[in-house]
Amino acid sequence: MKKIDMLTPIGILIGISMVVFGVISSGGMSGFLAFIDVPSILIVLGGVFGTLCVSFPLKQLKNMGRVGKQAFQSKEINVEEIVGTFVHLSEKARREGLLSLEAELEQIDDSFVKKGILLAIDGVEPEMIRELLEAEIAAVEERHARGRSMFEKAGDYASAWGMIGTLVGLVLMLKSLNTPSSLGPNMAIALLTTFYGALLSNLFFQPIAAKLAGKTEHELFVKEVIIEGVIGLQAGQNSRFVQAKLKVFAPVEKRKLEEKREHVREA
């Protein structure tokens, strides 16, 4: 079940709040309003959008919102629950055979787990099971990398368009040195486009790309755990052996806690 990942909006809000606080504390509301410049905003946002259109196909760009949404969602993937599931399945498989696991598939939501169990039930060789499931992992990694690359590139482009806007403002300023009234607006474009580009890059695009990379890394790690569980099922391994093998994938803190509980039970 997906929940809201509150750290993402909280982090963005903290970053914006610090900038606003710094501006207002130094120059008051008039200082804050000095940082609002529509031409500068349009140069950066329009430039980023234009370069994304050049860099990526339309089909991929349509998914940018859906991909970015993942950074604001948290899908609970509990490694301990996965270990428990495979321990239960291995016990049942040893008692009643692999075919008995078909009745358990309806209670499993993860399609990757289902696919692995079905391959084991069908008697596919362990090497082939690993090859097929790892091919799917590679496809997931590639798909996620493509989606993430849009935000990585947007971060690069935002900084670049900030510099381009600065050059535009400087050129306009140098051409209008004889008209003092236009120096202020042109200087605003020169400085604020760099500000907007840096802010968008370092507070929005790049952090979202980093968050997506972390989520992908965890998802692939969980799928590797599932592969080991499926291989154990197919090989008919003892449930205690399956548990011991999969527990090495659990966080160190959880393993230490479990070991303490086992010592207490033994005592």
Side-chain angles (χ1 to χ4, degrees):
M1 181 179 178
K2 291 185 177 181
K3 301 178 182 179
I4 297 177
D5 186 345
M6 293 303 299
L7 282 178
T8 302
I10 287 174
I12 293 174
L13 183 60
I14 289 174
I16 293 174
S17 299
M18 291 301 98
V19 172
V20 173
F21 171 76
V23 171
I24 292 180
S25 63
S26 299
M29 283 304 299
S30 60
F32 176 75
L33 293 176
F35 278 77
I36 307 299
D37 187 75
V38 176
S40 297
I41 295 173
L42 292 178
I43 287 174
V44 175
L45 290 180
V48 169
F49 179 72
T51 47
L52 287 176
C53 289
V54 175
S55 302
F56 298 96
L58 179 61
K59 183 178 180 180
Q60 190 170 344
L61 281 177
K62 286 181 178 179
N63 292 327
M64 189 172 182
R66 181 181 60 80
V67 172
K69 186 179 177 181
Q70 303 302 314
F72 295 84
Q73 294 179 333
S74 177
K75 184 178 180 182
E76 295 293 334
I77 307 178
N78 194 313
V79 175
E80 291 77 27
E81 289 182 5
I82 293 174
V83 173
T85 297
F86 278 104
V87 169
H88 166 70
L89 293 175
S90 63
E91 290 174 349
K92 183 167 185 176
R94 283 177 66 84
R95 287 196 313 267
E96 305 173 27
L98 280 172
L99 290 176
S100 65
L101 300 183
E102 285 187 301
E104 301 284 336
L105 293 178
E106 295 180 359
Q107 303 175 19
I108 298 175
D109 297 327
D110 194 305
S111 60
F112 191 76
V113 175
K114 282 185 178 181
K115 181 176 181 178
I117 293 174
L118 285 172
L119 290 172
I121 292 173
D122 291 340
V124 179
E125 292 296 320
E127 295 79 7
M128 185 61 69
I129 291 177
R130 186 181 296 277
E131 184 177 339
L132 290 170
L133 295 182
E134 286 186 347
E136 182 165 337
I137 287 179
V140 169
E141 186 175 14
E142 173 63 24
R143 185 171 66 251
H144 287 193
R146 286 201 305 271
R148 188 171 65 248
S149 67
M150 290 186 288
F151 286 90
E152 293 171 342
K153 290 296 184 183
D156 295 337
Y157 295 152
S159 297
W161 277 98
M163 294 303 298
I164 291 172
T166 295
L167 294 175
V168 170
L170 289 175
V171 170
L172 292 175
M173 185 179 68
L174 291 174
K175 290 186 68 175
S176 58
L177 288 177
N178 294 328
T179 54
S181 61
S182 64
L183 291 178
N186 291 335
M187 178 62 78
I189 292 178
L191 297 179
L192 289 178
T193 48
T194 297
F195 170 75
Y196 291 138
L199 192 65
L200 282 172
S201 176
N202 294 287
L203 187 58
F204 187 72
F205 292 126
Q206 296 290 1
I208 284 181
K211 176 61 74 72
L212 292 174
K215 288 179 179 292
T216 297
E217 183 178 348
H218 180 64
E219 182 179 344
L220 298 182
F221 169 76
V222 171
K223 290 185 184 300
E224 291 289 349
V225 177
I226 292 170
I227 290 178
E228 294 301 325
V230 171
I231 297 299
L233 279 181
Q234 203 278 341
Q237 294 172 350
N238 183 280
S239 59
R240 292 184 67 84
F241 179 78
V242 171
Q243 183 179 28
K245 182 173 71 171
L246 296 185
K247 274 174 63 176
V248 301
F249 293 98
V252 176
E253 295 79 6
K254 293 289 184 67
R255 276 189 280 162
K256 289 181 177 179
L257 181 61
E258 186 63 29
E259 288 172 0
K260 287 182 180 179
R261 289 175 178 171
E262 290 180 1
H263 287 317
V264 170
R265 286 196 293 266
E266 290 174 359

